[in-house]
Amino acid sequence: MTYLTFQPEGGRRLSYQRRGTGSLVVCVPGGPGMDPEAYFAELELPGHELLVFAPRGTGESSAPPTSGGYGIVGYADDVEALREHLGQQKLTLYGNSHGACVALAYAGAHPDRVERLVLTNGPARIDDAFIAAARRARTRFAETFADGADRLAAAADADGALAGELDEAERRRQYRTLMAGYVAELGPAEVGYLDRLCAAPMNWEPVFEMSKEFVAGLDLLAGAQAVVAPTLAIGCEFDVTVPAAAMHLIATALPNGHFLELAGIGHFPEVEAPAEFRAAVTAFLAGRPVAGIA
Protein backbone atom coordinates (compact mmCIF):
# COMPACT_ATOMS: atom_id res chain seq x y z
CA MET A 1 0.00 0.00 0.00
CA THR A 2 1.33 3.43 -0.96
CA TYR A 3 2.19 5.98 1.72
CA LEU A 4 0.86 9.51 1.53
CA THR A 5 3.31 12.10 2.79
CA PHE A 6 3.29 15.68 4.05
CA GLN A 7 5.82 18.07 5.50
CA PRO A 8 5.10 19.90 8.76
CA GLU A 9 7.24 22.83 9.83
CA GLY A 10 10.94 22.14 10.17
CA GLY A 11 11.43 20.24 6.93
CA ARG A 12 10.45 16.88 8.36
CA ARG A 13 8.36 14.34 6.47
CA LEU A 14 5.47 12.34 7.93
CA SER A 15 3.48 9.62 6.23
CA TYR A 16 0.34 7.53 6.51
CA GLN A 17 -1.89 5.08 4.68
CA ARG A 18 -5.67 5.09 4.30
CA ARG A 19 -8.02 2.19 3.76
CA GLY A 20 -11.72 1.51 4.09
CA THR A 21 -14.64 3.92 4.03
CA GLY A 22 -16.67 5.69 6.66
CA SER A 23 -15.84 7.95 9.58
CA LEU A 24 -12.13 8.46 10.07
CA VAL A 25 -10.14 6.67 12.78
CA VAL A 26 -6.45 7.57 13.15
CA CYS A 27 -4.55 4.43 14.17
CA VAL A 28 -1.24 4.81 15.99
CA PRO A 29 0.86 1.62 15.99
CA GLY A 30 2.97 0.27 18.80
CA GLY A 31 6.56 -0.78 18.87
CA PRO A 32 7.92 1.77 18.69
CA GLY A 33 9.83 1.42 15.45
CA MET A 34 7.75 -1.43 14.03
CA ASP A 35 6.40 -1.32 10.50
CA PRO A 36 2.95 0.35 10.67
CA GLU A 37 1.51 -1.57 7.74
CA ALA A 38 2.50 -4.95 9.18
CA TYR A 39 1.48 -3.90 12.69
CA PHE A 40 -2.11 -3.11 11.72
CA ALA A 41 -2.41 -5.63 8.88
CA GLU A 42 -5.18 -7.49 10.71
CA LEU A 43 -7.07 -4.41 11.94
CA GLU A 44 -10.57 -4.03 10.55
CA LEU A 45 -13.30 -1.68 11.77
CA PRO A 46 -16.30 -1.95 9.43
CA GLY A 47 -17.94 1.38 8.74
CA HIS A 48 -14.74 3.33 9.33
CA GLU A 49 -11.88 4.62 7.25
CA LEU A 50 -8.61 3.70 8.92
CA LEU A 51 -5.71 6.11 8.69
CA VAL A 52 -2.64 4.12 9.68
CA PHE A 53 -0.14 6.71 10.85
CA ALA A 54 3.57 6.03 10.39
CA PRO A 55 5.32 7.50 13.44
CA ARG A 56 8.67 9.21 13.04
CA GLY A 57 11.36 6.87 11.77
CA THR A 58 8.91 4.36 10.26
CA GLY A 59 7.14 4.02 6.92
CA GLU A 60 8.18 7.06 4.90
CA SER A 61 8.30 9.35 7.96
CA SER A 62 11.70 10.87 8.57
CA ALA A 63 13.65 10.16 11.73
CA PRO A 64 14.29 12.92 14.29
CA PRO A 65 17.75 14.51 14.24
CA THR A 66 18.73 12.79 17.52
CA SER A 67 17.58 9.66 19.33
CA GLY A 68 16.08 11.86 22.04
CA GLY A 69 13.43 12.83 19.50
CA TYR A 70 11.86 9.41 19.97
CA GLY A 71 10.28 10.44 23.28
CA ILE A 72 6.51 10.23 23.63
CA VAL A 73 6.13 14.03 23.53
CA GLY A 74 7.67 14.09 20.06
CA TYR A 75 5.36 11.36 18.82
CA ALA A 76 2.35 13.27 20.17
CA ASP A 77 3.54 16.42 18.41
CA ASP A 78 3.45 14.50 15.14
CA VAL A 79 -0.19 13.51 15.74
CA GLU A 80 -1.03 17.21 16.08
CA ALA A 81 0.86 17.89 12.85
CA LEU A 82 -1.24 15.19 11.20
CA ARG A 83 -4.46 16.76 12.49
CA GLU A 84 -3.46 20.11 11.07
CA HIS A 85 -2.54 18.50 7.75
CA LEU A 86 -5.92 16.79 7.54
CA GLY A 87 -7.77 19.98 8.44
CA GLN A 88 -9.76 18.17 11.13
CA GLN A 89 -11.09 19.97 14.18
CA LYS A 90 -10.98 16.78 16.22
CA LEU A 91 -9.54 13.29 15.77
CA THR A 92 -10.85 9.89 16.75
CA LEU A 93 -7.76 7.94 17.80
CA TYR A 94 -6.96 4.28 18.26
CA GLY A 95 -3.61 3.36 19.79
CA ASN A 96 -2.21 -0.04 20.68
CA SER A 97 0.76 -0.61 23.00
CA HIS A 98 3.23 2.29 22.62
CA GLY A 99 0.68 3.81 20.26
CA ALA A 100 -1.79 3.93 23.15
CA CYS A 101 0.77 5.86 25.18
CA VAL A 102 1.16 8.32 22.31
CA ALA A 103 -2.61 8.70 21.87
CA LEU A 104 -3.10 9.29 25.59
CA ALA A 105 -0.24 11.81 25.69
CA TYR A 106 -1.78 13.61 22.72
CA ALA A 107 -5.17 13.73 24.43
CA GLY A 108 -3.58 15.17 27.56
CA ALA A 109 -1.79 17.87 25.57
CA HIS A 110 -4.73 18.65 23.25
CA PRO A 111 -7.93 17.55 25.03
CA ASP A 112 -10.10 19.78 22.85
CA ARG A 113 -8.79 18.06 19.71
CA VAL A 114 -10.01 14.54 20.55
CA GLU A 115 -13.46 13.23 19.57
CA ARG A 116 -13.14 9.69 20.89
CA LEU A 117 -10.26 7.61 22.16
CA VAL A 118 -9.66 3.85 22.08
CA LEU A 119 -6.59 2.54 23.89
CA THR A 120 -5.36 -1.03 24.13
CA ASN A 121 -2.47 -2.40 26.14
CA GLY A 122 -0.40 0.75 26.60
CA PRO A 123 0.60 1.88 30.11
CA ALA A 124 -0.04 5.35 31.44
CA ARG A 125 2.13 4.95 34.51
CA ILE A 126 5.11 2.73 35.33
CA ASP A 127 5.32 2.35 39.10
CA ASP A 128 5.43 -0.35 41.78
CA ALA A 129 1.75 -1.19 41.24
CA PHE A 130 2.36 -1.72 37.51
CA ILE A 131 5.37 -3.94 38.18
CA ALA A 132 3.44 -6.03 40.71
CA ALA A 133 0.48 -6.45 38.34
CA ALA A 134 2.80 -7.50 35.51
CA ARG A 135 4.40 -10.06 37.81
CA ARG A 136 0.99 -11.52 38.65
CA ALA A 137 0.08 -11.65 34.96
CA ARG A 138 3.24 -13.59 34.17
CA THR A 139 2.51 -16.07 36.95
CA ARG A 140 -1.00 -16.71 35.63
CA PHE A 141 0.34 -17.02 32.08
CA ALA A 142 2.89 -19.63 33.17
CA GLU A 143 0.26 -21.56 35.13
CA THR A 144 -2.43 -21.45 32.43
CA PHE A 145 -0.62 -22.42 29.23
CA ALA A 146 1.33 -25.65 28.86
CA ASP A 147 4.22 -23.85 27.17
CA GLY A 148 3.71 -20.62 29.12
CA ALA A 149 6.66 -20.86 31.49
CA ASP A 150 9.02 -21.91 28.70
CA ARG A 151 7.87 -19.10 26.41
CA LEU A 152 8.29 -16.50 29.14
CA ALA A 153 11.76 -17.76 30.03
CA ALA A 154 12.82 -17.72 26.38
CA ALA A 155 11.33 -14.24 25.93
CA ALA A 156 13.24 -12.94 28.96
CA ASP A 157 16.49 -14.35 27.56
CA ALA A 158 15.76 -12.80 24.17
CA ASP A 159 15.01 -9.44 25.74
CA GLY A 160 18.39 -9.51 27.44
CA ALA A 161 20.14 -10.52 24.23
CA LEU A 162 18.50 -7.68 22.28
CA ALA A 163 20.21 -5.16 24.54
CA GLY A 164 23.59 -6.35 23.25
CA GLU A 165 25.48 -6.13 19.98
CA LEU A 166 23.94 -8.51 17.44
CA ASP A 167 24.00 -8.82 13.69
CA GLU A 168 20.68 -8.24 11.96
CA ALA A 169 19.84 -11.91 11.44
CA GLU A 170 20.41 -12.78 15.10
CA ARG A 171 18.57 -9.67 16.25
CA ARG A 172 15.57 -10.74 14.18
CA ARG A 173 15.70 -14.25 15.62
CA GLN A 174 15.78 -12.99 19.19
CA TYR A 175 13.04 -10.49 18.41
CA ARG A 176 10.74 -13.26 17.16
CA THR A 177 11.43 -15.29 20.31
CA LEU A 178 10.56 -12.29 22.45
CA MET A 179 7.31 -11.66 20.61
CA ALA A 180 6.12 -15.24 21.15
CA GLY A 181 5.42 -14.20 24.75
CA TYR A 182 3.15 -11.37 23.65
CA VAL A 183 0.26 -13.65 22.63
CA ALA A 184 -1.70 -16.04 24.81
CA GLU A 185 -1.66 -18.97 22.41
CA LEU A 186 0.40 -19.63 19.31
CA GLY A 187 -2.35 -20.58 16.89
CA PRO A 188 -2.08 -20.20 13.11
CA ALA A 189 -3.34 -16.60 13.13
CA GLU A 190 -0.92 -15.56 15.84
CA VAL A 191 2.07 -17.33 14.30
CA GLY A 192 1.37 -15.86 10.87
CA TYR A 193 0.99 -12.37 12.28
CA LEU A 194 4.16 -12.51 14.37
CA ASP A 195 6.16 -13.99 11.50
CA ARG A 196 5.12 -11.11 9.21
CA LEU A 197 5.60 -8.44 11.86
CA CYS A 198 9.06 -9.67 12.84
CA ALA A 199 10.20 -9.90 9.22
CA ALA A 200 8.94 -6.41 8.31
CA PRO A 201 11.12 -3.25 8.33
CA MET A 202 12.19 -2.30 11.84
CA ASN A 203 13.81 0.78 13.33
CA TRP A 204 15.55 -0.42 16.50
CA GLU A 205 16.60 2.99 17.83
CA PRO A 206 13.19 4.05 19.23
CA VAL A 207 12.97 0.85 21.30
CA PHE A 208 15.97 1.84 23.38
CA GLU A 209 14.58 5.34 23.91
CA MET A 210 11.24 3.90 25.02
CA SER A 211 13.02 1.70 27.56
CA LYS A 212 14.81 4.73 29.00
CA GLU A 213 11.56 6.69 29.22
CA PHE A 214 9.71 3.85 30.92
CA VAL A 215 12.50 3.08 33.38
CA ALA A 216 12.65 6.76 34.33
CA GLY A 217 9.06 6.49 35.56
CA LEU A 218 6.43 7.07 32.88
CA ASP A 219 3.36 9.02 34.03
CA LEU A 220 0.82 10.20 31.45
CA LEU A 221 -2.02 10.86 33.88
CA ALA A 222 -1.03 14.35 35.08
CA GLY A 223 -3.57 15.98 32.75
CA ALA A 224 -6.12 13.18 32.86
CA GLN A 225 -8.98 15.27 34.24
CA ALA A 226 -8.86 17.51 31.17
CA VAL A 227 -9.46 14.58 28.80
CA VAL A 228 -13.25 14.58 28.64
CA ALA A 229 -13.57 12.72 25.33
CA PRO A 230 -15.27 9.32 25.65
CA THR A 231 -12.46 6.80 26.10
CA LEU A 232 -12.46 3.02 25.89
CA ALA A 233 -9.45 1.45 27.61
CA ILE A 234 -9.11 -2.22 26.70
CA GLY A 235 -6.99 -4.62 28.73
CA CYS A 236 -6.35 -8.28 27.95
CA GLU A 237 -6.36 -11.07 30.51
CA PHE A 238 -3.03 -12.64 29.54
CA ASP A 239 -1.05 -9.61 28.44
CA VAL A 240 2.21 -10.02 30.37
CA THR A 241 3.74 -6.78 29.12
CA VAL A 242 0.88 -4.42 30.00
CA PRO A 243 -1.41 -6.02 32.59
CA ALA A 244 -5.13 -5.33 32.35
CA ALA A 245 -4.93 -3.43 35.63
CA ALA A 246 -2.89 -0.74 33.87
CA MET A 247 -5.75 -0.12 31.44
CA HIS A 248 -8.29 -0.10 34.26
CA LEU A 249 -6.21 2.66 35.87
CA ILE A 250 -6.54 4.78 32.72
CA ALA A 251 -10.30 4.28 32.57
CA THR A 252 -10.76 5.32 36.18
CA ALA A 253 -8.48 8.36 35.82
CA LEU A 254 -10.37 9.87 32.87
CA PRO A 255 -13.71 11.63 33.47
CA ASN A 256 -15.43 9.72 30.67
CA GLY A 257 -13.32 6.57 30.72
CA HIS A 258 -14.64 3.04 30.32
CA PHE A 259 -12.80 -0.23 30.85
CA LEU A 260 -13.20 -3.51 28.99
CA GLU A 261 -11.18 -6.64 29.68
CA LEU A 262 -10.97 -9.23 26.91
CA ALA A 263 -10.61 -12.72 28.32
CA GLY A 264 -8.13 -15.36 27.24
CA ILE A 265 -5.85 -13.27 25.06
CA GLY A 266 -2.56 -11.36 25.14
CA HIS A 267 -1.20 -8.15 23.66
CA PHE A 268 -2.80 -8.11 20.18
CA PRO A 269 -6.62 -8.18 20.39
CA GLU A 270 -7.04 -7.40 16.68
CA VAL A 271 -5.30 -10.71 15.96
CA GLU A 272 -6.20 -12.90 18.93
CA ALA A 273 -9.89 -11.97 19.27
CA PRO A 274 -10.76 -10.07 16.07
CA ALA A 275 -14.55 -10.49 16.14
CA GLU A 276 -14.89 -9.53 19.79
CA PHE A 277 -12.54 -6.61 19.36
CA ARG A 278 -14.33 -5.29 16.27
CA ALA A 279 -17.75 -5.57 17.88
CA ALA A 280 -16.68 -3.69 21.01
CA VAL A 281 -14.79 -0.92 19.24
CA THR A 282 -17.33 -0.27 16.48
CA ALA A 283 -20.13 -0.13 19.06
CA PHE A 284 -18.15 2.30 21.19
CA LEU A 285 -17.28 4.54 18.25
CA ALA A 286 -20.94 4.63 17.26
CA GLY A 287 -22.00 5.55 20.78
CA ARG A 288 -23.81 2.26 21.34
CA PRO A 289 -23.62 0.20 24.54
CA VAL A 290 -20.62 -2.12 24.79
CA ALA A 291 -21.18 -5.39 26.61
CA GLY A 292 -18.86 -5.90 29.55
CA ILE A 293 -17.54 -2.36 29.97
CA ALA A 294 -17.14 -0.83 33.39
Side-chain angles (χ1 to χ4, degrees), residues 45-56:
L45 294 176
H48 297 277
E49 181 184 10
L50 304 183
L51 187 155
V52 176
F53 190 42
R56 48 183 59 192

Side-chain angles (χ1 to χ4, degrees), residues 15 20 30 72 112 124 138-139 146 161 175 198 201 216 220 227-228 240 244 249 256 259 262 264 274:
S15 62
I72 287 174
D112 58 330
R138 288 193 294 271
T139 298
Y175 178 45
C198 294
L220 301 176
V227 183
V228 297
V240 299
L249 174 65
N256 203 3
F259 173 68
L262 298 180

